[in-house]
């Protein structure tokens, strides 16, 4: 909403996710990077302290998770090592990206017992749901699950909002030895937006180092050279 600020969302975040609320401290902080003076000069182990009337939030910059979200788009969570290659990073202060720790994401979080009625219902059949679940699956190494999510999304006719959101499905297919599917998606992404090449090179580098050698793998990477121009 246009008239909500980061502190308003911070209260909601704690209300929803803090399973053991404390009257004096907040477990989670939420700050818009373009509106907080505390983020003007960022350094390792920098304290993040904010007093919100009767309660206080205290943490360190190294315990951060950097995200980007715009209304009617998917939530994007940045990785510290290659977050800058994500096109959505242009909306984020580049100083913060190296401190984004995806390991802070709980892979098996508790379910909401009572989703507030005044919030929009949680959707399970949207492109963003498929993309975000695939990103989470790749993070925990569940590549077959990411591939299955891709199969279902494409079968349903889902269309990516951003072409590079196909990246986790490429990784899922690659790690499932579905080389043709991975190559076809890669060609589609590059043909649509050449700026995605560096990001896709990171994805394929993980596949190359994580998959055992085989004739089919070697053939796939030979074909990949016709699609991507990755630096050694």
């Amino acid at each position: 909403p246009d008239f909500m600020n980061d502190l308003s969302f911070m209260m909601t975040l704690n209300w929803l996710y803090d399973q053991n609320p404390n009257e004096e401290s907040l477990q989670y902080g939420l700050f818009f990077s373009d509106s907080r003076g505390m983020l003007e000069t960022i350094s390792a182990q920098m304290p993040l302290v904010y007093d919100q009337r009767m309660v206080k939030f205290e943490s360190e910059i190294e315990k951060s998770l950097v995200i980007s979200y715009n209304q009617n788009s998917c939530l994007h969570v940045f990785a510290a090592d290659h977050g800058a290659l994500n096109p959505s990073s242009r909306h984020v202060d580049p100083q913060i990206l190296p401190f984004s720790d995806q390991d802070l994401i709980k892979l098996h979080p508790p379910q909401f017992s009572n989703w507030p009625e005044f919030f929009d219902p949680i959707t399970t059949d949207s492109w963003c749901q498929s993309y975000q679940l695939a990103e989470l699956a790749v993070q925990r190494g569940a590549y077959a699950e990411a591939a299955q999510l891709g199969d279902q999304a494409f079968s349903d006719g889902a269309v990516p909002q951003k072409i590079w959101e196909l990246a986790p499905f490429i990784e899922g297919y690659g790690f499932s030895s579905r080389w043709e599917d991975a190559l076809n998606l890669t060609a589609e992404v590059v043909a649509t937006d050449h700026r995605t090449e560096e990001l896709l090179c990171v994805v394929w580098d993980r596949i190359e180092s994580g998959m055992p050698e085989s004739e089919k793998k070697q053939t796939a990477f030979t074909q990949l050279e016709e699609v991507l121009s990755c630096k050694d």
Side-chain angles (χ1 to χ4, degrees):
D2 294 336
F3 301 104
M4 294 285 284
N5 59 30
D6 50 3
L7 300 180
S8 300
F9 284 115
M10 187 191 301
M11 297 301 106
T12 305
L13 184 71
N14 281 273
W15 178 39
L16 289 175
Y17 285 96
D18 189 352
Q19 301 297 307
N20 299 292
N22 186 299
E23 293 182 356
E24 298 181 355
S25 62
L26 298 174
Q27 184 174 355
Y28 301 100
L30 177 65
F31 304 100
F32 293 164
S33 64
D34 59 353
S35 63
R36 288 292 143 202
M38 69 176 68
L39 301 180
E40 289 180 356
T41 303
I42 299 171
S43 60
Q45 299 181 338
M46 185 184 84
L48 289 177
V49 180
Y50 195 88
D51 284 307
Q52 177 68 358
R53 296 188 178 180
M54 301 297 292
V55 293
K56 176 185 289 188
F57 170 77
E58 293 185 90
S59 187
E60 297 176 353
I61 193 69
E62 291 183 325
K63 297 179 181 179
S64 298
L65 191 65
V66 182
I67 64 174
S68 175
Y69 176 76
N70 292 314
Q71 193 172 12
N72 301 320
S73 71
C74 300
L75 176 73
H76 300 125
V77 182
F78 300 101
D81 55 350
H82 62 273
L85 301 180
N86 186 316
S88 280
S89 66
R90 67 181 183 274
H91 302 298
V92 178
D93 187 333
Q95 294 185 88
I96 303 175
L97 289 174
F99 299 103
S100 186
D101 184 1
Q102 289 187 322
D103 290 338
L104 293 172
I105 299 175
K106 294 181 179 179
L107 300 180
H108 303 286
Q111 297 296 315
F112 293 117
S113 57
N114 54 341
W115 185 255
E117 294 182 359
F118 48 82
F119 285 173
D120 290 337
I122 299 176
T123 59
T124 58
D125 58 352
S126 66
W127 167 259
C128 286
Q129 180 79 354
S130 299
Y131 160 71
Q132 288 159 189
L133 286 175
E135 281 273 89
L136 194 61
V138 165
Q139 181 189 338
R140 68 175 191 269
Y143 301 109
E145 181 181 333
Q148 291 172 359
L149 286 164
D151 291 342
Q152 185 62 55
F154 304 138
S155 175
D156 293 341
V159 178
Q161 295 191 358
K162 308 292 184 183
I163 194 63
W164 44 265
E165 290 171 353
L166 292 173
F169 303 109
I170 293 172
E171 195 160 352
Y173 288 145
F175 273 100
S176 301
S177 297
R178 293 174 56 177
W179 302 112
E180 184 177 357
D181 291 327
L183 287 167
N184 287 340
L185 282 187
T186 300
E188 179 182 348
V189 175
V190 174
T192 305
D193 189 347
H194 283 283
R195 296 174 300 175
T196 60
E197 287 201 31
E198 286 188 81
L199 176 63
L200 294 179
C201 286
V202 171
V203 170
W204 278 97
D205 184 63
R206 287 200 293 259
I207 296 172
E208 182 176 25
S209 60
M211 288 293 287
E213 295 301 323
S214 68
E215 184 177 345
K216 289 184 177 180
K217 175 186 174 182
Q218 184 177 1
T219 299
F221 275 87
T222 298
Q223 295 173 339
L224 181 68
E225 293 177 358
E226 300 176 4
V227 180
L228 282 179
S229 299
C230 299
K231 300 177 180 179
D232 294 333

